Amino acid sequence: MWTCTKCGTKVDSGFDVCWQCGTSSTGVEDPSFRTADDAPRIDAPDVTDVGPEISPPHPIGPIDDLVVCYEARDYLEAKMLADLLVEAGIPAFADGYDLRESLGMMNAGPRVRVRSDLAAPARRWIDDFQAERAAEGELSRDEI
């Protein structure tokens, strides 16, 4: 915080000039300074007509071409598998919707979705991944 040498206004240290009179912290006055109240009005462009709203395409393809390749126990599992599939070159995403929490069901968790033409390779990759984890002792046989 500094005090303007011209008008005595307390000025936040983040400002180079006084917002009341335009004087710098070193006492140099800016002859072209105007307060916002004294400056001419700036007319904003009309933004009422922005045209039709267009949804961007889904990053992995048309929504109607996506299929479920895996039902996860929770969102973290679905997100992890989707991210690993993407790293393996198979575009995928986790839908993030866990019906178990919203409806109290035990068999409708979040899903990993892929394009229909990649469903078989994605499922094979997930099966191999789970088998590898089971072999390393990270999964029990009933979790596969």
Side-chain angles (χ1 to χ4, degrees):
M1 185 75 69
W2 56 276
T3 302
C4 177
T5 57
K6 180 179 178 187
C7 69
T9 300
K10 298 279 187 198
V11 181
D12 187 279
S13 59
F15 289 91
D16 295 332
V17 297
C18 173
W19 52 69
Q20 289 293 322
C21 67
T23 303
S24 72
S25 58
T26 59
V28 178
E29 294 182 40
D30 179 357
S32 64
F33 176 81
R34 288 188 284 195
T35 65
D37 292 334
D38 295 336
R41 178 185 164 140
I42 299 172
D43 291 323
D46 182 19
V47 293
T48 56
D49 183 24
V50 294
E53 188 172 322
I54 300 171
S55 301
H58 196 279
I60 67 170
I63 299 291
D64 58 352
D65 188 40
L66 300 179
V67 296
V68 174
C69 72
Y70 184 76
E71 273 195 36
R73 289 181 292 279
D74 55 44
Y75 178 69
L76 290 176
E77 180 188 28
K79 177 73 171 123
M80 177 199 69
L81 286 172
D83 289 348
L84 290 172
L85 282 167
V86 169
E87 286 178 18
I90 301 172
F93 79 100
D95 65 12
Y97 188 65
D98 193 342
L99 287 175
R100 288 182 295 192
E101 289 181 16
S102 61
L103 300 175
M105 299 168 64
M106 295 305 290
N107 61 351
R111 294 168 175 89
V112 177
R113 298 180 187 268
V114 296
R115 290 192 330 245
S116 60
D117 62 320
L118 296 174
R123 186 63 217 171
R124 276 193 305 275
W125 187 94
I126 290 171
D127 289 343
D128 292 346
F129 175 77
Q130 289 179 323
E132 184 179 305
R133 286 186 61 202
E136 293 172 0
E138 294 181 27
L139 290 174
S140 65
R141 281 311 224 183
D142 55 338
E143 287 182 303
I144 297 177

